[in-house]
């Protein structure tokens, strides 16, 4: 595909991502998406084989972004608790660069589409599961549930909190995000480290990531 074609396809995906996040899959038509960019509707069939194919590409890109976020968090620090704290900061960065990620994931978690199930089946990252398992093994995180179950629950909770403020222009939303997720992580903590304030994980500043592929 030529560079110009890549650019046009990316524009369609970006516009579709926002509309799907705001209205849901059923609330958006191909005509709506093309109207955003003043394009002929046939272009969606040309690039993506229709609306379902376009939605699948939107989901794949969201999963790839999450994959990179987890990889970055996994490389931060040496202890599982440090890595979990890093994950919160990275997710905040994702909220700045991918403001519709959490809204799409939360919407899909309640009633998964076939496209979501397909994209999820292609996504094999086990970083968060391994991180939680290591924390349990070291006695830093509670062992009351399996690591894979905790990973799913934590991802949904983080995305739920992020979605609540992702599209908000209220400056308080950023603070609410860190405070809320900090409380969620407290529930996983087995032995809080000394010197922590109310067992809180440190706040980190959100900053855009120019190296993340959309």
């Amino acid at each position: 595909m030529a560079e110009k074609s890549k650019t046009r396809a990316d524009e369609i995906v970006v516009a579709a991502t926002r509309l799907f996040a705001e209205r849901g899959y059923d609330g958006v038509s191909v005509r709506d998406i093309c109207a955003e960019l003043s394009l002929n509707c046939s272009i969606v069939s040309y690039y993506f084989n229709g609306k379902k194919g376009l939605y699948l590409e939107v989901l794949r890109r969201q999963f790839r972004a999450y994959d990179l976020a987890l990889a970055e968090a996994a490389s931060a620090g040496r202890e599982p608790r440090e890595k979990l704290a890093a994950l919160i900061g990275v997710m905040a960065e994702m909220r700045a660069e991918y403001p519709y990620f959490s809204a799409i994931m939360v919407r899909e978690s309640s009633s998964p589409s076939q496209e979501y199930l397909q994209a999820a089946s292609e996504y094999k990252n086990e970083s968060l599961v391994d991180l939680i398992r290591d924390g349990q093994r070291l006695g830093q995180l509670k062992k009351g549930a399996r690591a894979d179950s905790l990973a799913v629950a934590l991802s949904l909770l983080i995305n739920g909190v992020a979605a609540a403020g992702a599209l908000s222009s209220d400056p308080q939303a950023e603070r609410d995000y860190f405070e809320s997720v900090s409380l969620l992580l407290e529930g996983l903590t087995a032995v809080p480290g000394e010197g922590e304030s109310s067992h809180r994980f440190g706040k980190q500043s959100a900053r855009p990531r120019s190296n993340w592929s959309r």
Side-chain angles (χ1 to χ4, degrees), residues 22-211:
E22 292 175 346
R23 307 180 194 174
Y25 179 82
D26 292 333
V28 179
S29 66
V30 170
R31 187 180 299 276
D32 293 332
I33 296 167
C34 292
E36 289 279 317
L37 302 171
S38 299
L39 298 175
N40 187 296
C41 291
S42 63
I43 198 169
V44 172
S45 295
Y46 175 75
Y47 285 126
F48 306 102
N49 197 30
K51 179 181 170 182
K52 289 187 176 182
L54 173 56
Y55 188 54
L56 179 59
E57 178 60 21
V58 166
L59 292 170
R60 283 171 171 160
R61 295 193 185 199
Q62 301 303 296
F63 273 109
R64 286 199 292 269
Y66 191 45
D67 190 34
L68 291 172
L70 285 172
E72 182 173 336
S75 66
R78 302 177 63 180
E79 300 291 337
R81 281 168 50 82
E82 294 175 345
K83 293 178 180 180
L84 276 178
L87 175 61
I88 304 312
V90 173
M91 288 294 289
E93 293 166 6
M94 285 188 65
R95 287 172 59 240
E97 184 140 343
Y98 296 85
Y100 309 108
F101 173 86
S102 294
I104 289 176
M105 290 302 171
V106 170
R107 189 187 297 276
E108 283 287 351
S109 68
S110 62
S111 181
S113 64
Q114 288 300 313
E115 292 72 32
Y116 177 84
L117 294 175
Q118 179 176 337
S121 70
E122 298 170 0
Y123 174 73
K124 301 298 184 183
N125 191 292
E126 296 289 330
S127 297
L128 186 55
V129 176
D130 291 341
L131 192 160
I132 293 175
R133 186 176 290 121
D134 287 344
Q136 291 177 325
R137 178 177 55 81
L138 295 172
Q140 296 181 358
L141 302 178
K142 293 177 180 177
K143 300 180 180 179
R146 294 184 306 174
D148 55 347
S149 298
L150 286 174
V152 171
L154 183 58
S155 294
L156 290 175
L157 288 170
I158 290 175
N159 280 315
V161 172
L167 306 181
S168 173
S169 59
D170 184 356
Q172 180 68 21
E174 186 72 8
R175 180 177 178 182
D176 288 345
Y177 168 78
F178 283 109
E179 291 295 329
S180 299
V181 175
S182 179
L183 289 171
L184 295 175
L185 290 178
E186 283 181 22
L188 279 176
T189 303
V191 183
E194 294 182 0
E196 293 182 3
S197 175
S198 301
H199 314 329
R200 296 294 166 88
F201 290 82
K203 296 180 181 178
Q204 302 181 34
S205 299
R207 59 189 186 284
R209 294 305 240 194
S210 59
N211 61 321

